[in-house]
Each structure stands twice: as C-alpha cells, then as structure tokens.
Amino acid sequence: MRKLLLLIVFLSLTQALPAEDVFVLGARSQGATLPGSTAFIRWDADTSFHNLGATEATIRRLGVSNGFFMVPGTKTEFSIPPGRSTTTAFEVGPLFPDATPLWITHFDVPPEVFVDSALLPALVDSAGAVPPTIQLIYGKTSLPVWRSLTPAHQRQVHTGISLGELPSHINVGVYNAGTSQAQAIVEVYRACDDRVIDARTVTVPPDTVIQFGGFDASLIFNGCPPERFGFYGLGYVIVTVDQPSLSFTSIVVDGQLPISGVQVSGGR
C-alpha cells in the first residue's frame, strides 16, 4: 500500500502542469517620414517564447482583439523543442491588420515557457525596393506580458513614468476584455506630491484595445518642492475600468527618433 501511495504521488508530481493565460500587445503603425527622404518610421511588436522545459511545448492562440481578421490557414498553434526559442512573427507570419495599429493576442502557454514581448521601431525605405528595405536600427523597448485580466473597477497602477526634463507626452492604452462598452478613468499623477496633473474619461468597445495620447507630461518635473528631490521627474498613472481589462502606459520624447540604447534583462 505504501509503495502504491508513493507511486501515485510521484505520478501526480510528474504530470504536466496546465497551460496558463498570456496576453501580449501586437502593433504595426507607420510613423513620421524623415525630412528629405522616402524613409519612414514603423512601429512593430513581436513576442518571443523560450522553452525552459525538458519536453516539447505547444503554444495555442485563443483569440485576437479589435475584430482581427485572420487569413484562412493561419496557424492557431505551434510547438517549441526543449531549450529552443521562437517568435510569433516567425511561426505565424504577418498578422498585421490595416484597420488598427494595436491589438491584444490571448495565448495558452505552458508554465515552462518564458515569454518576452518587445516593441521594435524600424526604418523603412519604400523607394525602389520590393519588398521595402527594413532596418532595425533603433533598438528594442520591452512590452508588458500579462498573465491575467484585471477585474472590473479594480485600479491599475503604472509606476515609474519618467523621462526627466525631456519634453515628452504620455500615452495610455486600455483593452476592454468585456462584452459591453467600457468606461475607463485615466489619471496622471506627479509622484512628489501625488497631485493629479491630467485626467480623462474614455470609452472602449468590447474586445478592443485603444491607445489614448496627448496626456501632459510637463508638470511631472515642474513645480515639485526642492526637498522632494528623490521624486524629481517621476510620475504614475492610475487606470480604472468598469469591465475586465488590461492597460499600459508609455512616455515618449517629443520630436526625436525613437532610439533605445540600453537594454537590461533578468534571468529565469
């Protein structure tokens, strides 16, 4: 009997753990054309997966937001050998709709798979070349990877919003995962005195992500008392949505190319 119990325990411990929900941000948007040039900035996002396990892992796509039309025959799942990496762009190909610059993809991912998402701004020159020349010369900016939706009416706090004294603006994205139109309250705070420096109430259709731009960032570093120097240039954003949701915040320098020259990564 004791051996039988030990065998049952051993088998239960060695069974594969259930896959987990993972939500990632997709993007493709054309930015400004460079002065005196046919080249323009394009914003792309991609997600990479690394299998840390000892057996093959299967990734399944459960859904895509914003009324995303999937070309018939597009993969809904792919597998990764142990110790190997892959990306959605490589496995699935271009999923980029013309109608929306942003979307949320919902994946079913085994727990032994590490997921990383990134924004990769590129320089695209369409003059003469088919397909156009694409140069990834602006670096990488990490994007959030969500493991669950935020329940309705629960505050989502985005901390560390700062670019110091560089002229900049704040964008806030809201994904409504519900089945009804959502109302979202977006508040931008200055950390030194917790003052609201900008606020807006927005609406988002069901199963849709929208980025709202133009939030004022100038007061994050203007007006803080000298004795609060440790908070200098630091802000945070609070988003409250009346439907299950996700949200994200970016702060972007005005009038400069989107160059990211430093990347820091932690291990798992």
Side-chain angles (χ1 to χ4, degrees):
M1 178 62 70
R2 182 179 178 185
K3 290 182 178 180
L4 178 60
L5 290 173
L6 289 174
L7 178 61
I8 293 173
V9 171
F10 174 77
L11 290 175
S12 65
L13 291 174
T14 55
Q15 287 178 346
L17 294 173
E20 301 172 339
D21 289 316
V22 168
F23 300 86
V24 295
L25 184 65
R28 169 160 287 190
S29 178
Q30 182 172 327
T33 300
L34 301 187
S37 172
T38 58
F40 59 88
I41 306 298
R42 192 176 74 191
W43 302 85
D44 285 304
D46 197 10
T47 302
S48 62
F49 304 86
H50 186 87
N51 183 3
L52 299 169
T55 59
E56 187 174 79
T58 299
I59 312 297
R60 295 179 176 86
R61 190 186 67 247
L62 302 181
V64 185
S65 73
N66 291 57
F68 198 103
F69 173 75
M70 199 65 61
V71 176
T74 302
K75 284 183 182 180
T76 58
E77 65 177 56
F78 52 89
S79 296
I80 312 173
R84 299 294 297 275
S85 293
T86 192
T87 71
T88 52
F90 176 79
E91 294 289 347
V92 184
L95 297 180
F96 314 113
D98 295 329
T100 178
L102 296 172
W103 60 94
I104 294 287
T105 303
H106 181 190
F107 287 106
D108 189 52
V109 180
E112 67 271 19
V113 174
F114 179 76
V115 184
D116 181 65
S117 190
L119 185 67
L120 302 164
L123 182 66
V124 180
D125 193 345
S126 58
V130 180
T133 302
I134 301 174
Q135 296 177 285
L136 296 175
I137 60 175
Y138 297 128
K140 162 193 165 183
T141 296
S142 294
L143 293 176
V145 174
W146 297 275
R147 299 284 176 171
S148 63
L149 298 171
T150 301
H153 304 290
Q154 180 174 310
R155 300 195 318 165
Q156 301 174 57
V157 181
H158 305 256
T159 60
I161 307 302
S162 177
L163 285 176
E165 296 189 42
L166 291 172
S168 57
H169 64 277
I170 296 169
N171 301 319
V172 179
V174 179
Y175 170 54
N176 173 14
T179 56
S180 303
Q181 179 173 276
Q183 179 173 280
I185 300 172
V186 180
E187 299 168 302
V188 181
Y189 288 80
R190 188 169 65 190
C192 67
D193 56 6
D194 298 304
R195 173 187 168 189
V196 177
I197 62 171
D198 207 344
R200 195 182 305 172
T201 299
V202 299
T203 58
V204 183
D207 193 27
T208 299
V209 58
I210 298 178
Q211 180 173 261
F212 301 94
F215 288 91
D216 185 14
S218 62
L219 291 179
I220 287 180
F221 58 84
N222 288 332
C224 286
E227 64 270 16
R228 304 291 284 172
F229 180 77
F231 289 94
Y232 188 70
L234 185 64
Y236 61 95
V237 173
I238 296 179
V239 180
T240 309
V241 189
D242 63 2
Q243 295 286 326
S245 65
L246 300 169
S247 64
F248 58 93
T249 298
S250 62
I251 183 166
V252 184
V253 176
D254 297 328
Q256 295 187 29
L257 293 175
I259 296 174
S260 178
V262 176
Q263 294 297 323
V264 180
S265 177
R268 175 180 168 183

